[in-house]
Amino acid sequence: MPSSLVLIGLLGCEPGFEQTGGAPPDVKVRSGTTEIAVDVISGEHACFKLSYACDQPDKVTVTVDAGVQLSWSRPEHDDGDSIGLAPPVFCHSTHKLSAASHTFGLTAECAGVSSSDSVSAITSPPPFRIASLMPNKTTYKLADEIVLELDAEADGLIVTANFSAVDSTYVAGSETVQPLGGGKYRIRRNMTSTGNTRVSGDYVVPVSVSDGTAVKTRDVPIRWLRSGYPRVALADATFIAGGAPTRSTSPSIANLTLYIGALTAQGPSAPALFEPLVDEVGGRPFSIGFSTSAPIGDTVRIEMRDTARSGAFVATYHAEVLPMLVSSTFYSVSGLLVGNPLPYGQPSANLQFRVVLPDGTASAWQGSVLAWPGQQGEVTVTGTVSYEYDDCRPDTSAPLGVSPQYYPDDCNKASKPARRVLVEVTNDCNQSHRQHAGEDGKFILWLPDTCANEEFRVVVHSVSRKVAGARVAVGGWNNGAINSKEQLTANPAHYSTHSAVVATFDPPFGNSVTDVGHVFIPLEGEPDMAWAAHIIDNGMTALDYYANFVDPADILPLNVSWATNGPDLEEKNWFVHSVHPSLIHLRPRSTNAFSLAHEISHYIHFNFMHAATTYGRFSEPMAVANAAMITKSSWMSVYPDAVYEDLDFNGDYLDGIGGPGVNGFQQADLKFFPEHSDFEDCQNREDECCPLEDDDPEQIPLCVQGPYGWVWRVFMDLHDGTGIEPWDKFYPVGGGAPQFYGNFDDVDGGGGFTPSAHKLADVMFGYLGGGHLPENMNRDDRGLEFSDLVDVLDGMICRGHMTQAQAEPLLKDAMNYKYDFDGVLSCN
């Protein structure tokens, strides 16, 4: 099956396939020549089927009117194995082209010999599209106005936005839509009604655009904090927009005291890759003392709220036992506050803390403190920061004709909070205070006002603060031309991190608070920093996921690099553990969340599973499934500008090949590997990647390319639920009666938004293990040595996640894989 990770860097591949009949006359298949043929020309997409003169070319170039749009070369894994599939399809957005005939060209190189083909096609740009849709802020309070800026690239459109989710008083059509000309529109909604009963929290506002025939919709995320953001925050805490949960009062907590100290500052530091970031951030230290009638362990949760504002903060702290000659156990908890409650030198009457014990019970809210020292001339700066990115998703209304598992992409400019990026306030007197932005991009920073009449600056950096042991740093290669990943180094001086000044202000003398409001990192003006913020957001999402299964303290700070010098590194993504155990190299300014999640998964396999876990047989297909688990989507992006693949696409690897299907479905390019017996042998022999004899040159391509595309689909069905399969009817070679598989996936893998319920992850870390995790040395390794598909299936059985009756429809009926249920399996 064509791989979807051609440009992700770590993947397997397959032999070529020549259809032997049953295809309609307009379908081009592999026939020993290089060919490009029209697949789908729709209002927004021009897609083409690519065929090659050899099974797998070494280089592929696709051009549009002689301009290069896709450049691919066969990647190699660290061990030198050639891996990766050449693109089977190519898509181009028609909005980038004029309404005219255009020439689409394909050039492929096989064993040093180039061959080319071209085809002309008439394209017409769509009448409109949602090119950009952004809110003016990320967080709104009572009396604010929500403003949405829309670019639909056409005038005279019908534009609506439904604010009912965030405003209970909203009536359809009450929003204001102002045409600005040039295809741009401004949508307004005043949040002034005190009768709005919506509680503080996160909502979406759907926006609809129509020309009277076609309709496009997009959702805009909105955070509603009715009373505004708290003026004081717990450093390194989670903000709960809806407020602290209701808890039972614990009778065992007594002697609760709070102490809040004077502000402290931290000098500036230049963040870099491969070097630990100084985590001291400056703030107002606090300590909480309390006693319990019985020991509670060594950690507690602290919750903090501002009763005049919305939301609450929660963080887990070490609880130090104090030596007291009394019957109760006394504890002390220390941390940092950021922000500046006014009036000067006095505690805020609205600031409250409480201690939450491991059993979920809590102390009463406490508002009094022992001290709150202040100093004249504290300059506090607050705001929220967001960034612009390309929001791409599959356009499921336009499946490709001969490759229905592929869909063209649909992209628009959007914005997201720049969560966890390092934010710094600095001035010309070399004073600095650093803190990472919250989950909603909120920051609260301060400096002493001892630098008279000088400009203060708010700067964002391409490094996330260390949260629960994990950190992401992003930088560009700056050490000259580079043509292979082996030229990368672990020298911090060879990479430049990114930064952007997002606000400047001149504070008044004395104690002051300056709210710079919503600051923005644009793609056009600050492309590197905007890209880095997106990488940090996606990277932290992946690390947060794995923190459910491994100790975050064991996760190395991740270093993400990129380079524009050298074609070998321009179109690939790699986990380059041969250079550094936590270095990931990405395609320049890639906004692909799936790619980064995939490479981080390789890092996790490398460090938290069996040290000899094989790449192609286990790590590659599992990283595909893991990326889908992290991104909460079965859609995998394949190539730049273009294509998504449905991972939940299955077919009988032996019988379900070729022939005309239903609704235009042709399975012409879907073949996992030639014969069923080959895969049986592959699982039972000790060869590295396949069951083939070294002296059989006809079989060598199988060994190189392997059936990994099929394996990751099995992993996906072990993860997702038991709902209707998107594809359940397949036609055999040469036509004939269709084969129906129906709901062949009866295994409920707990797929969903709750990581702890993911059964495939439980098998990975609870059954297999290794690396930083305890390895299951007593498990029965019935497949090839080290981890493979057999071990995963054994783990699903041994951990009680599936039965033979649930697995057989998928493994035997749909996939023809004769997993040995009857063999002796020792579940240790």
Side-chain angles (χ1 to χ4, degrees), residues 686-804:
E686 297 300 321
D687 300 311
E688 175 63 20
C689 63
C690 76
L692 308 169
E693 298 295 338
D694 293 337
D695 59 356
D696 186 352
E698 295 298 320
Q699 299 287 357
I700 288 177
L702 251 186
C703 185
V704 173
Q705 295 163 356
Y708 313 138
W710 180 78
V711 175
W712 71 51
R713 278 164 172 73
V714 175
F715 288 163
M716 276 299 301
D717 277 325
L718 295 180
H719 166 67
D720 64 15
T722 59
I724 301 295
E725 291 297 303
W727 308 101
D728 62 1
K729 179 185 297 185
F730 304 96
Y731 282 75
V733 175
Q739 301 174 23
F740 293 87
Y741 294 111
N743 292 337
F744 52 79
D745 180 10
D746 292 333
V747 179
D748 185 355
F753 293 171
T754 305
S756 59
H758 290 178
K759 298 173 183 178
L760 189 61
D762 175 66
V763 170
M764 290 173 58
F765 302 111
Y767 179 75
L768 298 176
H772 287 290
L773 292 173
E775 183 179 351
N776 184 1
M777 301 298 296
N778 297 320
R779 68 179 174 88
D780 190 2
D781 189 355
R782 300 195 302 159
L784 293 177
E785 187 179 7
F786 311 129
S787 298
D788 61 6
L789 174 60
V790 172
D791 296 303
V792 174
L793 297 175
D794 286 352
M796 291 289 289
I797 295 286
C798 287
R799 301 288 285 189
H801 297 324
M802 75 177 184
T803 65
Q804 178 174 350

Side-chain angles (χ1 to χ4, degrees), residues 419-420 439 467-468 470 537-549 552 555 630 755:
R419 66 188 188 106
R420 302 190 193 178
E439 295 298 308
V467 180
D537 179 81
N538 293 325
M540 296 307 296
T541 296
L543 295 178
D544 287 348
Y545 176 84
Y546 283 116
N548 290 279
F549 310 104
I555 298 178
I630 292 166

Side-chain angles (χ1 to χ4, degrees), residues 27-99:
V27 174
K28 292 288 189 74
V29 296
R30 298 182 184 179
S31 57
T33 59
T34 295
E35 294 177 306
I36 180 170
V38 172
D39 189 333
V40 172
I41 301 290
S42 68
E44 297 189 35
H45 311 286
C47 296
F48 301 85
K49 173 77 174 178
L50 309 181
S51 302
Y52 303 105
C54 55
D55 285 340
Q56 286 300 310
D58 299 311
K59 295 181 180 180
V60 173
T61 302
V62 179
T63 60
V64 179
D65 295 333
V68 175
Q69 296 298 322
L70 176 63
S71 176
W72 177 90
S73 59
R74 183 187 293 277
E76 289 186 352
H77 187 234
D78 283 347
D79 58 12
D81 286 343
S82 181
I83 57 176
L85 273 181
V89 292
F90 169 76
C91 288
H92 193 71
S93 298
T94 57
H95 72 82
K96 300 178 181 179
L97 303 171
S98 60

Side-chain angles (χ1 to χ4, degrees), residues 443-455:
F443 57 88
I444 305 176
L445 302 160
W446 77 275
L447 281 179
D449 184 19
T450 57
C451 194
N453 300 321
E454 295 293 341
E455 181 180 76

